């Protein structure tokens, strides 16, 4: 069963965390140097403060300082002067979530925990992305709705250079690439497993030196945590091998990119809403209403799930990126790929949202999907006709009518601002600071060639 999340963490939780941290300090003494505490900012970059093990209990009780300006950082490491958060004053407290703390094998000598951010007087910080996800999960839980989620992690492995030089040959899905990279992928699997990530599969993907890891589904906040942790571990293993991992949506021009597909199943009263019903492919009426809401909201969701200018270089037809606003059973060109073929056990049926990529803040993604699912569950709606095949293929019956998802970040940010459900869920402050950050990314990319847009996004972790 998914872990239950409280919508906020209180001061009482922190006292308990402090005691737990005292125990952890004693138990781990001599085994590691310190704990890396992370959150993900509005540009999708993982941000970090590191405390020595001896300082963990204090960090758990009072948090570690972090300037609010961090969410005004742009993907190139600069600061957006137009952001409401570009101020030198003020401070926040980032508190490690000790429930999720894991000892790492890569990088060795460290542990990791995700952080939640609070104001100095102990209130939840309105721009805290992880707290946003917690709130949406808790709101759905109050209505009896829960979800299991998992991000698929795709990345390309380059040599240690700024440009992308594929580190391995061999073909997509090929034994040839498996053999060429077997030492590397063994370390990836071992280090992910050591960090508590439930790896279900790893394979050479279609792109140059590209790999994919699938992991077990979890509650939405944990799924976002796992995404952050997996990217950190894969980057560390790559560095140990003298290589670099690119999770960027676009790594090379005119080629497939890296997706960050989100697999989701929705649950009520112990049953999977995407299976066992009387609708198409076993959808329940509530499951169908939720999928209809997600499908209709994809343009707005993309501002969160595909949030960089490079995202739109990836989101092209015929690359299995899900560039069409359609759904279909097992259709890899559909933005919503229903995975419920005959014979699938009811607990395994899920929908894969394919149009997302890993430049997204995974907490905003899981929170936004949960918010839309909750809104959709309350409004009966039907899905349109399902689509099979690639609408871009010559002679496809929908060649002229299938709707492409927006082709630019500017369009999706506008769609986000128009979405009543997402506006309500995010709240004015978080929506305002987030859209300011997206507009800074648009400004930064204005007039740039695709090569430069890709170069700016290539090594973001
Ligand atoms: N690399 C593709 C993408 O950009 C996905 C390939 C697949 O279906 O796994 O999303
Ligand atoms: Mg893949």
């Amino acid at each position: 069963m998914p872990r239950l999340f409280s919508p906020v963490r209180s001061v009482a939780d922190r006292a308990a965390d402090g005691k737990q941290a005292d125990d952890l300090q004693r138990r781990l003494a001599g085994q590691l140097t310190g704990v890396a505490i992370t959150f993900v900012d509005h540009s999708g970059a993982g941000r970090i403060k590191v405390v020595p093990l001896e300082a963990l209990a204090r960090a758990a009780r009072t948090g570690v300082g972090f300037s609010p300006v961090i969410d005004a950082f742009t993907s190139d490491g600069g600061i957006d002067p137009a952001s409401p958060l570009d101020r030198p004053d003020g401070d926040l407290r980032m508190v490690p979530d000790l429930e999720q703390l894991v000892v790492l094998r890569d990088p060795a000598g460290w542990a990791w925990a995700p952080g939640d951010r609070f104001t100095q007087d102990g209130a939840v910080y309105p721009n805290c992305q992880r707290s946003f996800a917690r709130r949406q999960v808790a709101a759905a839980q109050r209505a009896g709705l829960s979800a299991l989620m998992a991000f698929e992690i795709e990345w390309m492995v380059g040599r240690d250079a700024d440009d992308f030089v594929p580190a391995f040959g061999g073909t997509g899905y090929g034994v040839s690439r498996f053999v060429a990279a077997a030492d590397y992928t063994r370390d990836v699997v071992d280090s992910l497993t050591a960090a508590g990530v439930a790896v279900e599969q790893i394979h050479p993907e279609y792109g140059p030196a590209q790999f994919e890891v699938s992991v077990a589904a979890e509650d939405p906040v944990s799924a976002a945590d796992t995404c952050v942790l997996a990217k950190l571990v894969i980057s560390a293993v790559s560095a140990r091998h003298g290589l670099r991992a690119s999770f960027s949506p676009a790594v090379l021009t005119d080629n497939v990119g890296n997706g960050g597909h989100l697999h989701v199943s929705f649950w009520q009263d112990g049953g999977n809403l995407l299976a066992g019903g009387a609708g198409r492919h076993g959808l329940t009426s509530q499951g169908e209403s939720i999928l209809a809401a997600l499908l209709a909201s994809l343009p707005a969701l993309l501002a969160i799930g595909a949030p960089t200018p490079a995202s739109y270089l990836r989101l092209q037809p015929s690359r299995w990126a899900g560039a069409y606003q359609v759904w279909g059973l097992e259709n890899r060109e559909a933005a919503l790929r229903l995975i419920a073929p005959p014979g699938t056990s009811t607990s395994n049926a899920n929908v894969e949202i394919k149009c997302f990529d890993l430049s997204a803040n995974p907490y905003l993604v899981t929170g936004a999907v949960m918010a839309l699912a909750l809104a959709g569950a309350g409004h009966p709606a039907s899905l349109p006709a399902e689509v099979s095949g690639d609408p871009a293929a010559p002679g496809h019956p929908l060649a002229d009518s299938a709707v492409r998802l927006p082709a630019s970040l500017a369009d999706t940010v506008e769609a986000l601002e128009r979405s009543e459900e997402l506006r309500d869920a995010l709240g004015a402050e978080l929506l305002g600071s987030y859209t300011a950050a997206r507009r800074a990314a648009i400004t930064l990319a204005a007039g740039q060639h695709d090569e430069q847009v890709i170069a700016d996004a290539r090594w973001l972790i």
Side-chain angles (χ1 to χ4, degrees):
M1 268 329 266
R3 172 184 172 201
L4 292 180
F5 267 91
S6 58
V8 294
R9 297 166 74 198
S10 65
V11 173
D13 291 337
R14 297 233 213 124
D17 285 353
K19 285 204 194 71
Q20 198 184 341
D22 288 334
D23 292 344
L24 275 170
Q25 273 181 216
R26 269 193 295 277
R27 196 152 54 75
L28 297 174
Q31 291 178 49
L32 51 96
T33 300
V35 181
I37 310 166
T38 61
F39 84 98
V40 182
D41 73 15
H42 280 352
S43 76
R47 300 291 178 185
I48 200 158
K49 284 280 175 97
V50 180
V51 294
L53 183 62
E54 299 72 44
L56 181 63
R58 208 173 93 183
R61 287 191 173 92
T62 63
V64 291
F66 225 127
S67 163
V69 80
I70 192 70
D71 280 304
F73 270 56
T74 47
S75 55
D76 65 349
I79 295 174
D80 166 28
S83 169
L85 297 169
D86 180 21
R87 292 187 307 264
D89 50 342
D91 204 16
L92 300 167
R93 310 303 301 175
M94 177 166 71
V95 181
D97 184 346
L98 299 179
E99 292 279 315
Q100 304 289 73
L101 182 140
V102 285
V103 177
L104 301 174
R105 188 187 100 132
D106 267 300
W110 302 102
W112 167 88
D116 294 302
R117 291 181 300 157
F118 297 83
T119 62
Q120 283 177 314
D121 56 13
V124 172
Y125 177 50
N127 291 311
C128 174
Q129 300 86 351
R130 193 168 185 266
S131 300
F132 163 73
R134 282 173 174 278
R135 274 199 303 281
Q136 306 318 310
V137 171
Q141 265 166 9
R142 284 195 295 277
L145 180 69
S146 61
L148 290 172
M149 301 192 185
F151 285 92
E152 270 180 21
I153 314 285
E154 289 189 340
W155 75 103
M156 294 184 197
V157 191
R159 300 205 177 281
D160 189 12
D162 281 348
D163 287 343
F164 181 74
V165 183
F168 302 110
T171 59
Y173 317 106
V175 173
S176 52
R177 182 159 331 136
F178 169 72
V179 171
D183 286 353
Y184 170 76
T185 47
R186 185 202 54 232
D187 277 349
V188 167
V189 173
D190 284 351
S191 293
L192 286 173
T193 306
V197 175
V199 175
E200 292 197 330
Q201 198 177 296
I202 184 165
H203 71 265
E205 254 293 348
Y206 187 76
Q210 191 180 31
F211 293 91
E212 173 183 322
V213 158
S214 349
V215 300
E218 305 165 86
D219 71 83
V221 179
S222 299
D225 288 339
T226 296
C227 181
V228 174
L229 174 61
K231 286 169 76 178
L232 188 159
V233 168
I234 291 168
S235 301
V237 173
S238 303
R240 184 152 68 79
H241 282 255
L243 304 171
R244 281 182 107 174
S246 175
F247 302 95
S248 171
V251 182
L252 296 161
T253 48
D254 297 321
N255 211 321
V256 295
N258 291 312
H261 311 172
L262 183 69
H263 288 263
V264 196
S265 57
F266 299 98
W267 297 75
Q268 198 152 44
D269 300 326
N272 183 348
L273 296 175
L274 302 184
R280 281 165 282 178
H281 312 297
L283 289 175
T284 66
S285 57
Q286 272 218 311
E288 178 160 354
S289 299
I290 291 173
L291 295 192
L294 288 172
L295 184 64
S297 294
L298 282 178
L301 264 180
L302 278 181
I304 292 173
T308 53
S311 299
Y312 298 84
L313 299 176
R314 160 188 173 258
L315 196 56
Q316 303 286 331
S318 311
R319 294 190 188 163
W320 289 13
Y324 287 94
Q325 192 178 4
V326 300
W327 74 283
L329 182 71
E330 288 287 6
N331 184 354
R332 291 179 176 79
E333 282 299 331
L336 293 189
R337 170 190 173 204
L338 182 65
I339 303 175
T344 310
S345 83
T346 51
S347 61
N348 285 343
N350 67 90
V351 67
E352 179 182 26
I353 309 180
K354 282 189 74 86
C355 47
F356 295 165
D357 64 65
L358 296 176
S359 64
N361 183 312
Y363 302 104
L364 294 181
V365 168
T366 56
V369 166
M370 212 59 233
L372 288 168
L374 179 58
H379 290 95
S382 305
L383 280 165
E386 69 188 275
V387 172
S388 61
D390 180 358
H396 192 281
L398 299 178
D400 298 319
S401 57
V403 177
R404 269 287 301 272
L405 284 164
S408 78
L409 180 57
D411 290 344
T412 60
V413 170
E414 274 176 31
L416 174 61
E417 286 171 328
R418 281 196 304 270
S419 164
E420 216 172 290
E421 293 83 6
L422 290 175
R423 268 204 323 259
D424 284 354
L426 289 159
E429 188 166 342
L430 177 53
L431 178 69
S433 65
Y434 182 69
T435 52
R438 296 306 81 229
R439 293 218 156 86
I442 294 167
T443 306
L444 214 59
Q448 282 184 349
H449 293 298
D450 290 356
E451 286 79 8
Q452 190 57 45
V453 170
I454 291 174
D456 284 352
R458 194 175 275 142
W459 303 118
L460 188 84
I461 301 175

